[in-house]
Amino acid sequence: MSTRPVVDLRAITKTYGEGETSVHAVAGVDLLVERGDYVAIMGASGSGKSTLMNIIGCLDAPSSGRYLLDAVDVRRLVERQLSIVRNRKIGFIFQSFNLIPRTSALANVELPLAYAGVKPAERRQRALAALEQVGLADRTTHLPSELSGGQQQRVAVARAIVTAPVLLLADEPTGALDSRSTADVLALFDELNVSGRTLVVITHEDEVADRAKRVVRMRDGLVQSDVRRAPVAGPPPGPSVLAAAAS
C-alpha cells in the first residue's frame, strides 16, 4: 500500500472579490491527511470549513497554495482532467443525498461507474456488492422515494465507495437524519474506516466529530486546532447495519 498522503494542502488560500470588499474565506491552511485516517472538520458558519471542503473535493480552486490529492497536483489540471480525478479518486456524500429521484438504488450506485466507462456487467456486479456492504442488498430496485432517509444516505455511501476512491468526503452527512439513522450511518463510517478507507467529514455536530480519529477546528479561515484522539464509541448500529456486518 502506498504511504503517500491522500490530502496534502500547503498554504492554501481562497479569496472572493477584490480590494476592500474581498473576503478571505480560507487564509492560509496547511493540512495533511494520511491514508486510512478519519478526520472531522468543524467550525461555525463563516469559518471556512465549507470552502475548504470544496477545495479538497476539487469543486473549487484555491487562490494560492499547493494541493496534492494522492500525489496529483490538481492546480495543473484542466476541467476535464479534474472531472476524471473527482470521479476516480473522491467519493462524495452529501447531506441531501443527491440521488436521482426516478432511478433505482442500483442505477444510482452504478452512475459513477457509467461515467468512468465501466462495462454494464461489471457496473452491476460492483454496484450490487456496494449495496450489500451498506446493508441494502434487498433494496436494489427501490426508488429513493421508497426508502427512508437513512436508507437513502446509505445508497449515497454505496455510490461513493463503488469506484474504490482514495478519499471519502462527506458534507454534513447526518444533517437530514433522525437519531437512529444517524447512528446507523456513523456505524457504517466506522466500518469503512476500519477496512482502510480514508474519511474527511465536514460537520457541526459533536456526535459526528466524536467518532473521528482527529478533529480539525476552523475559525476565520484558519485552522484553530488539530487534535488527534481515540474516537468515542457510538451506540450499537441498527439491524440493517448489523445484518450487513454478519453477511
Side-chain angles (χ1 to χ4, degrees):
M1 181 179 293
S2 172
T3 58
R4 64 192 179 209
V6 172
V7 172
D8 186 351
L9 301 174
R10 302 294 174 95
I12 291 292
T13 70
K14 183 64 181 182
T15 303
Y16 296 100
E18 297 180 357
E20 295 181 359
T21 61
S22 64
V23 176
H24 302 287
V26 176
V29 166
D30 294 332
L31 183 66
L32 202 67
V33 179
E34 302 289 352
R35 201 166 301 268
D37 210 348
Y38 184 172
V39 182
I41 299 178
M42 303 189 75
S45 178
S47 64
K49 67 180 188 299
S50 295
T51 301
L52 188 65
M53 183 209 73
N54 287 335
I55 291 171
I56 293 172
C58 299
L59 299 170
D60 199 358
S63 300
S64 64
R66 188 190 73 173
Y67 175 25
L68 302 183
L69 172 62
D70 195 31
V72 174
D73 189 344
V74 299
R75 298 174 307 171
R76 302 179 182 275
L77 304 181
V78 299
E79 183 53 42
R80 182 183 63 82
Q81 294 170 317
L82 282 172
S83 295
I84 294 171
V85 165
R86 286 192 294 266
N87 176 268
R88 295 180 180 176
K89 291 188 176 291
I90 306 173
F92 292 94
I93 303 163
F94 298 102
Q95 177 177 339
S96 56
F97 318 137
N98 287 7
L99 302 177
I100 299 175
R102 293 184 175 86
T103 303
S104 70
L106 180 63
N108 267 285
V109 176
E110 284 184 328
L111 193 59
L113 296 176
Y115 287 149
V118 177
K119 293 181 179 180
E122 184 181 349
R123 288 204 308 260
R124 180 179 177 83
Q125 181 181 16
R126 289 170 63 176
L128 286 170
L131 284 166
E132 182 176 6
Q133 186 173 358
V134 302
L136 292 177
D138 60 343
R139 297 289 191 271
T140 59
T141 62
H142 286 58
L143 300 177
S145 60
E146 298 170 325
L147 300 172
S148 69
Q151 289 171 331
Q152 290 184 62
Q153 190 60 296
R154 283 189 277 135
V155 171
V157 173
R159 181 184 58 194
I161 66 176
V162 75
T163 58
V166 296
L167 173 66
L168 293 178
L169 183 58
D171 182 20
E172 300 286 359
T174 62
L177 303 180
D178 60 28
S179 58
R180 187 62 179 179
S181 295
T182 292
D184 284 351
V185 169
L186 293 179
L188 180 57
F189 282 5
D190 291 345
E191 292 176 14
L192 290 169
N193 183 242
V194 167
S195 71
R197 304 271 186 178
T198 306
L199 285 87
V200 172
V201 179
I202 311 300
T203 184
H204 68 277
E205 299 180 40
D206 289 332
E207 176 186 6
V208 176
D210 283 347
R211 303 293 280 269
K213 296 176 179 176
R214 177 180 167 201
V215 178
V216 175
R217 294 184 184 272
M218 293 193 67
R219 182 176 181 181
D220 298 330
L222 294 166
V223 172
Q224 184 181 36
S225 64
D226 186 345
V227 178
R228 182 172 297 280
R229 49 143 184 226
V232 176
S240 56
V241 177
L242 288 174
S247 62

